[in-house]
Amino acid sequence: MKIQIMKKPLVAAVAACALGAAALPAVAADDAVLKRMEMLEQELKALKESLQKKEEVQLKKGVELKKGTRFQYGGYIKMDMTSTDTTEIPHYFHPNSIGIEDEASGEREFGTSAKQSRFWLKGNHETSAGDIVSYIEMDFTGGDDQERLTNNNASRLRHAFLKWNYSEDSSLLAGQFWSTFMNTGAYPETLDWVGPTSGIVFIRQQQLRWTTKMGGGSFMLAAENPFSYVDGDLDDTTDTPDLVVR
């Protein structure tokens, strides 16, 4: 009887050990599957985030119309309100228009305008010979204000050019843009739209310009529309373009 009593716990223990040994591989296999699934989920999440970031970058750069061609647009809306005592209209404030002593107009003028609002379109087309960039920009200062009825202003061309980036360091520009002789980096940011143009070169020109990187800057050659204005007279009889080296 004692032997039979002792065998039952022993058999039970052996059976339990056998069952435990059989369950261990199954539990280990389940853990491995769960870890693998978690790893795949993390990789999928990272891939989705990467694709989303790429799409956001593409949207910031512009809208892709077709493969290799990108289109962008921009500009701003601006309204000025001015109250000045000058000898000229307040929409274009020039320092030399400020009246002094008896030369002052004697009348304070108040005016508003939204004609400085601006809009531009830009295209970039990738080719085997390099990128071709097109750009056009306009504002609405091309005519007199019609304050009697609708306050309409005529649109005005600012920039319009094609630029061929035929290499990483060189480009060829044709169209209307800031004159090569003008240093746009020297033009300060001011609240007044015109700014201190009396003290610096300020002109947009039709031109053909070649640019290449050299050292820490750029070397430019340009042929621009000839223009001379002396003592109120415009001289448009020049038969050769203005040549600019910068």
Side-chain angles (χ1 to χ4, degrees):
M1 294 296 295
K2 290 183 180 179
I3 295 176
Q4 291 178 355
I5 293 174
M6 292 300 294
K7 279 185 177 180
K8 289 183 179 180
L10 180 59
V11 172
V14 172
C17 291
L19 290 174
L24 283 176
V27 173
D30 291 341
D31 290 341
V33 171
L34 290 174
K35 290 181 180 179
R36 181 58 179 168
M37 291 178 63
E38 292 176 357
M39 185 181 300
L40 291 174
E41 289 177 354
Q42 292 176 358
E43 292 177 355
L44 181 61
K45 182 179 179 181
L47 180 60
K48 288 183 178 179
E49 292 176 351
S50 177
L51 291 175
Q52 185 177 0
K53 289 180 180 179
K54 287 183 179 180
E55 291 177 355
E56 291 174 354
V57 170
Q58 294 296 330
L59 289 174
K60 289 180 180 179
K61 289 182 178 179
V63 180
E64 189 170 3
L65 299 180
K66 63 179 182 179
K67 187 175 181 180
T69 301
R70 186 158 300 282
F71 171 78
Q72 295 173 273
Y73 65 92
Y76 58 78
I77 296 174
K78 176 183 178 184
M79 187 185 77
D80 282 338
M81 303 180 70
T82 58
S83 179
T84 59
D85 185 5
T86 68
T87 58
E88 296 184 4
I89 60 175
H91 295 169
Y92 299 96
F93 176 74
H94 294 272
N96 57 9
S97 70
I98 300 175
I100 55 175
E101 298 180 355
D102 294 339
E103 296 181 3
S105 64
E107 296 182 1
R108 179 164 292 278
E109 298 182 22
F110 175 80
T112 64
S113 173
K115 60 187 177 182
Q116 296 175 23
S117 302
R118 190 175 303 174
F119 183 75
W120 57 262
L121 294 169
K122 181 180 180 181
N124 187 84
H125 182 62
E126 299 176 358
T127 71
S128 58
D131 292 353
I132 298 177
V133 178
S134 58
Y135 186 88
I136 186 168
E137 182 178 305
M138 58 186 291
D139 59 23
F140 304 91
T141 62
D144 296 331
D145 296 340
Q146 301 294 327
E147 297 185 2
R148 290 180 301 171
L149 298 175
T150 58
N151 284 275
N152 59 298
N153 290 279
S155 58
R156 181 186 70 161
L157 179 68
R158 288 174 53 85
H159 302 293
F161 62 82
L162 289 174
K163 185 179 180 182
W164 176 28
N165 299 313
Y166 61 88
S167 72
E168 293 183 358
D169 298 331
S170 302
S171 64
L172 188 64
L173 180 146
Q176 179 168 305
F177 194 50
W178 295 117
S179 171
T180 311
F181 193 71
M182 177 180 173
N183 181 10
T184 56
Y187 192 78
E189 294 285 346
T190 61
L191 291 177
D192 174 55
W193 185 51
V194 177
T197 56
S198 301
I200 63 175
V201 176
F202 183 86
I203 186 172
R204 288 181 287 269
Q205 290 269 62
Q206 299 83 34
Q207 60 189 277
L208 181 65
R209 181 196 298 182
W210 174 71
T211 304
T212 185
K213 291 182 180 180
M214 181 177 293
S218 299
F219 179 74
M220 304 177 187
L221 294 176
E224 301 189 0
N225 177 57
F227 178 88
S228 56
Y229 190 82
V230 181
D231 294 333
D233 296 326
L234 172 62
D235 180 11
D236 57 358
T237 60
T238 305
D239 58 358
T240 56
D242 290 342
L243 300 177
V244 184
V245 178
R246 178 177 171 186

